[in-house]
Amino acid sequence: MIKIKTAEEIELLRESALIVSKTLGMIASEIKPGVTTLHLDKLAEEFIRDHGAEPGFLGLYDFPNTLCMSPNAQVVHGIPNDKPLENGDIISVDCGSLKNGFYGDHAYTFEVGEVDEEVKKLLKVTKESLYLGIRELRAGNRVGDVGFAIQNYTESFGYGVVRELVGHGLGRKMHEDPEMPNYGRRGRGKKLKNGMVVAIEPMINMGTHRINQLRDGWTILTADGKPSAHFEHDIAIINGKPELLSTFKYIYEALGIESDEEEEFRQ
Ligand code: MG
Ligand code: MG
C-alpha cells in the first residue's frame, strides 16, 4: 500500500535526507587512493550520530555497517572492508539515516584519483538518467514512465539496466511501496500522486545488465566484471511536481564542482 505523506511528514523526510546529503559531502572530501572503505564507514557513522540521527542501514535486514561501499564491478550492497582504494577506482557510496522515525537514503558514485574516460562517461550518463527519471515524477504519470526514461536513455549507450534491484517509496520504512524500477513501459504501473515520497536509484552497468551475488549474502556485482554506477535521490511529489529532498550540493562543494542540475526540482 502506498502511504501518502503530509506536509509535516515530508519536512521530516527532508531533514533525514539532508543528513545523508551532508554525510556524503563529508565522505567526498575524504575519498582518495589509500583510504579504506571501513575507515570511511566509521567516519560516516560518527557524523550521522553527531547530527542527532542514527545510521539507517546499520542492522537493517542485519546489514553490518553504516555505508554500502561498492567499488568498480560491485553494483550495490558492498560491505566496507580494510582494502585501500586505488587510483582509477570508482566507489558507489549508499547511505541511510533515521531521524524522527523517518528514513533518508541516497547514493553517489565517486571517482578515486584519475579514472578512465569510458568510466567517467558511465557515471555521467547514469547521473543524467537519474534526473530524466525524476522529471517524470509528476502527479498523473505512472511508475513505468520513470523507468522508461531511465532505461531508454542508458540503453542508448549500450549500458545494462539492473533488473533485480529497484527504487522504492520512502517513509517510516526504508523500503515502502511502490517499487520504482529503472526500466519499464510508458503509461504502465501505479499512478503517481501528490504526497508520494520515493527514492529513484538507477544502477547502470557498463556491460551486461546481469548480476551475481557474493557468498557474503550482500554484495551484488556485474556478471561480466565490468564497472557499475549508482546514483540515488529522495524526491517528494508536491503541487504535482517532483521536489528534491536530498541534494548533491555538499558533494559538489567538497569536490569543487559547479552544477545547476538540481534547480528545476526546487519549488
Ligand atoms: Mg534506496
Ligand atoms: Mg540507497
Side-chain angles (χ1 to χ4, degrees):
M1 198 189 75
I2 297 175
K3 289 195 170 72
I4 298 297
K5 273 73 181 184
T6 64
E8 291 73 22
E9 288 172 328
I10 289 173
E11 287 317 304
L12 293 175
L13 280 157
R14 190 193 305 275
E15 210 179 305
S16 290
L18 283 178
I19 288 169
V20 177
S21 302
K22 289 173 184 170
T23 307
L24 291 177
M26 179 276 293
I27 291 294
S29 59
E30 297 290 334
I31 286 181
K32 48 180 97 57
V35 170
T36 71
T37 50
L38 200 55
H39 172 68
L40 297 172
D41 183 75
K42 292 295 160 238
L43 291 180
E45 178 173 355
E46 208 176 288
F47 187 92
I48 290 169
R49 293 193 193 282
D50 283 350
H51 284 74
E54 288 169 50
F57 295 164
L58 184 64
L60 184 71
Y61 315 118
D62 291 329
F63 188 75
N65 290 86
T66 294
L67 300 177
C68 292
M69 300 290 264
S70 312
N72 303 321
Q74 294 188 9
V75 180
V76 287
H77 300 169
I79 298 175
N81 60 29
D82 56 8
K83 186 174 172 287
L85 292 171
E86 291 179 22
N87 185 51
D89 283 348
I90 54 170
I91 178 83
S92 297
V93 183
D94 197 348
C95 181
S97 67
L98 176 62
K99 189 173 182 183
N100 300 316
F102 288 90
Y103 281 99
D105 171 27
H106 55 285
Y108 195 91
T109 301
F110 296 92
E111 300 172 11
V112 183
E114 285 303 312
V115 170
D116 283 351
E117 285 305 319
E118 228 191 345
V119 178
K120 279 182 192 280
K121 186 176 158 193
L122 172 70
L123 303 190
K124 179 172 178 280
V125 167
T126 303
K127 184 149 67 69
E128 286 167 351
S129 79
L130 167 62
Y131 291 109
L132 289 174
I134 292 171
R135 205 168 285 155
E136 297 299 320
L137 279 174
R138 294 190 301 268
N141 270 8
R142 290 181 181 269
V143 165
D145 293 314
V146 177
F148 175 82
I150 294 169
Q151 181 180 21
N152 188 49
Y153 184 63
T154 54
E155 286 186 349
S156 74
F157 293 87
Y159 297 153
V161 178
V162 172
R163 304 294 201 276
E164 293 85 347
L165 299 142
V166 296
H168 49 91
L170 186 71
R172 287 187 180 278
K173 288 188 180 156
M174 176 71 79
H175 298 112
E176 296 188 353
D177 284 338
E179 289 196 339
M180 299 295 302
N182 300 302
Y183 55 90
R185 293 168 69 183
R186 274 181 178 146
R188 299 295 179 95
K190 289 180 179 155
K191 199 176 257 189
L192 301 172
K193 293 179 182 163
N194 276 320
M196 283 173 65
V197 176
V198 296
I200 304 290
E201 48 179 316
M203 288 155 258
I204 307 298
N205 301 344
M206 187 180 277
T208 179
H209 67 81
R210 287 182 300 111
I211 55 167
N212 293 320
Q213 188 171 39
L214 287 185
R215 274 192 213 119
D216 63 18
W218 282 105
T219 312
I220 303 290
L221 66 175
T222 59
D224 59 7
K226 290 186 179 174
S228 182
H230 180 214
F231 291 87
E232 179 177 23
H233 265 312
D234 301 336
I235 311 101
I237 303 178
I238 300 173
N239 300 323
K241 294 181 296 187
E243 161 126 352
L244 279 183
L245 302 181
S246 55
T247 176
F248 294 150
K249 81 173 179 187
Y250 301 104
I251 293 172
Y252 295 156
E253 278 172 19
L255 300 180
I257 295 171
E258 298 233 354
S259 172
D260 59 1
E261 66 193 19
E262 297 181 357
E263 270 171 31
E264 70 174 283
F265 307 115
R266 304 260 173 240
Q267 294 188 28

